[in-house]
Amino acid sequence: MSRPEIRLQDLHPTPAELAVEVLAGLRRRPRYIPPKFFYDARGSQLFDAITQTSEYYPTRTEIAILQAHAADIAARVGTGSVLVEPGSGSCMKVRLLLEGLKPCAYVPMDISREHLRVAAEQVAAEFPWLEVHAACTDFTRQMAVPDSAPEGPRVAFFPGSSIGNFDPDGAADFLAVVAELVGPGGLLLIGVDLKKAPAVLDAAYDDTAGVTAAFNLNLLERINRELGANFDLGAWRHRAFYNADLGRVEMHLVSTRDQGVQVCGERFDFAAGESIHTENSYKYSVADFQAVARRAGFFPEAVWTDPADLFSVHLLRVAAGPAVAASGSSPSRP
Ligand code: AVI
């Protein structure tokens, strides 16, 4: 069978870009490596496996919200748009919207090239009437609709509470870039995880099967493989906890002993118990998130939640005037 036709714009980060950011993150205190580097091919697979664990409620809850309100969403968004999805991953959730929205084109964007290609081809095969224009890019740095895509009113789809991986200022900056991408009157449909009991959050980010631990540790494996580093994977452990003061789940890799590691010819010493901070996942109330969105020039049009108030899906529209927040954004730093 011939492969379905997709157009792929390739701006995949180079090993040199990985090296620059990893070295900078290991030199600073506290040490920090941005979560976008989780998503090599294995990391993307492990993330998909996380979404299947019983503890990780966001994915199944957001899907239930999208299914329950698909008709309302379609009525509010309308048909014929260019539907853009930054961080599209496996393109699972967008499938729930495509029949109702009937976009004229779908633009998945992801940092993981092969994962993107496979996912985009599957969407193109399942929805033969849909033009798919994929863009392999680090959307935290560069977010542009490929020139090959048609003109049309733009709608951005940013599910999964990926916005939580920015700190609130970074989130407002990122949303301002999205507002510019969709333009005046443009829409954003975005999933945002809600604040809840810390025990639920702690379990969601430290599942008993150890999938999230493997996902976190895969970062060190990737750095060993791609940058010729010598992290001893047996000497690091996964740690995740809800930081109530800052309203975020933090993930760390903790050194279990005093050790030295070579990365790109540079030696880094870690004391026992010292950690590399690898991810923040901010949680919001509906009102707090709407306040962040307003700073970026968006106005709330609708919000849907599940009966247990675990997760929210917001529909936001760009105001006619210019956005307030500055453009340019990067994921949250400690
Ligand atoms: C992609 N992102 C929204 C996930 C989250 O919940 O912050 C990544 C993740 N990290 C650990 N589990 C899932």
Side-chain angles (χ1 to χ4, degrees), residues 202 205 216 238-244 246 248-252 275 277-282 334:
D202 290 349
Y205 289 82
N216 202 3
H238 165 69
R239 180 166 185 244
F241 60 93
Y242 182 59
N243 181 333
L246 296 173
R248 68 190 194 193
V249 174
E250 296 185 11
M251 290 214 314
H252 296 258
S275 84
H277 191 162
T278 52
E279 187 178 62
N280 290 317
S281 198
Y282 281 82

Side-chain angles (χ1 to χ4, degrees), residues 9-93:
Q9 182 187 59
D10 194 351
L11 302 171
H12 190 268
T14 62
E17 288 170 301
L18 173 70
V20 166
E21 293 203 47
V22 167
L23 290 172
L26 292 177
R27 287 178 194 138
R28 69 194 286 277
R29 298 289 190 285
R31 305 193 202 247
Y32 174 79
I33 298 177
K36 65 187 176 188
F37 294 126
F38 283 138
Y39 300 95
D40 63 353
R42 176 156 165 73
S44 297
Q45 283 167 358
L46 284 167
F47 177 70
D48 285 349
I50 288 173
T51 67
Q52 303 300 312
T53 64
S54 58
E55 294 95 336
Y56 194 76
Y57 61 86
T59 307
R60 61 174 179 272
T61 311
E62 184 178 42
I63 287 172
I65 295 171
L66 292 173
Q67 283 171 330
H69 301 285
D72 192 12
I73 292 168
R76 288 170 182 274
V77 172
T79 55
S81 62
V82 176
L83 184 63
V84 183
E85 184 177 3
S88 48
S90 301
C91 307
M92 287 314 295
K93 293 168 192 163

Side-chain angles (χ1 to χ4, degrees), residues 139-140 158 162-168 170-171 174 282 284 329-332:
F139 66 82
T140 65
F158 197 49
S162 295
I163 196 67
N165 297 137
F166 296 87
D167 65 25
F174 173 74
Y282 281 82
Y284 290 92
S329 59
S330 59
S332 119

Side-chain angles (χ1 to χ4, degrees), residues 37-267:
F37 294 126
F38 283 138
Y39 300 95
D40 63 353
R42 176 156 165 73
S44 297
Q45 283 167 358
L46 284 167
F47 177 70
D48 285 349
I50 288 173
T51 67
Q52 303 300 312
T53 64
S54 58
E55 294 95 336
Y56 194 76
Y57 61 86
T59 307
R60 61 174 179 272
T61 311
E62 184 178 42
I63 287 172
I65 295 171
L66 292 173
Q67 283 171 330
H69 301 285
D72 192 12
I73 292 168
R76 288 170 182 274
V77 172
T79 55
S81 62
V82 176
L83 184 63
V84 183
E85 184 177 3
S88 48
S90 301
C91 307
M92 287 314 295
K93 293 168 192 163
V94 77
R95 289 171 160 82
L96 304 172
L97 302 174
L98 289 174
E99 290 298 348
L101 298 188
K102 277 273 180 314
C104 68
Y106 171 52
V107 182
M109 293 178 178
D110 206 273
I111 195 168
S112 183
R113 190 195 296 120
E114 272 321 292
H115 204 67
L116 172 69
R117 184 192 298 281
V118 170
E121 285 181 353
Q122 279 169 357
V123 171
E126 272 171 53
F127 300 88
W129 50 265
L130 182 64
E131 276 187 33
V132 179
H133 299 255
C136 178
T137 182
D138 171 2
F139 66 82
T140 65
R141 293 181 153 220
Q142 195 173 17
M143 191 162 47
V145 172
D147 290 341
S148 60
E151 293 296 316
R154 289 182 180 176
V155 177
F157 180 47
F158 197 49
S161 203
S162 295
I163 196 67
N165 297 137
F166 296 87
D167 65 25
D169 285 343
D173 287 348
F174 173 74
L175 293 180
V177 175
V178 176
E180 210 172 294
L181 185 90
V182 297
L187 287 166
L188 167 63
L189 185 67
I190 183 168
V192 184
D193 200 10
L194 295 172
K195 286 198 161 125
K196 59 187 60 66
V200 176
L201 292 166
D202 290 349
Y205 289 82
D206 195 7
D207 59 281
T208 51
V211 184
T212 311
F215 173 72
N216 202 3
L217 285 158
N218 179 61
L219 183 60
L220 301 184
E221 253 178 282
R222 177 182 188 178
I223 293 169
N224 280 352
R225 196 179 54 247
E226 293 188 27
L227 300 182
N230 65 349
F231 280 100
D232 171 0
L233 297 184
W236 293 85
R237 71 176 176 84
H238 165 69
R239 180 166 185 244
F241 60 93
Y242 182 59
N243 181 333
D245 291 338
L246 296 173
R248 68 190 194 193
V249 174
E250 296 185 11
M251 290 214 314
H252 296 258
L253 287 162
V254 183
S255 174
T256 57
R257 57 173 165 80
D258 293 347
Q259 58 181 310
V261 179
Q262 294 281 340
V263 184
C264 297
E266 188 169 335
R267 183 187 163 98

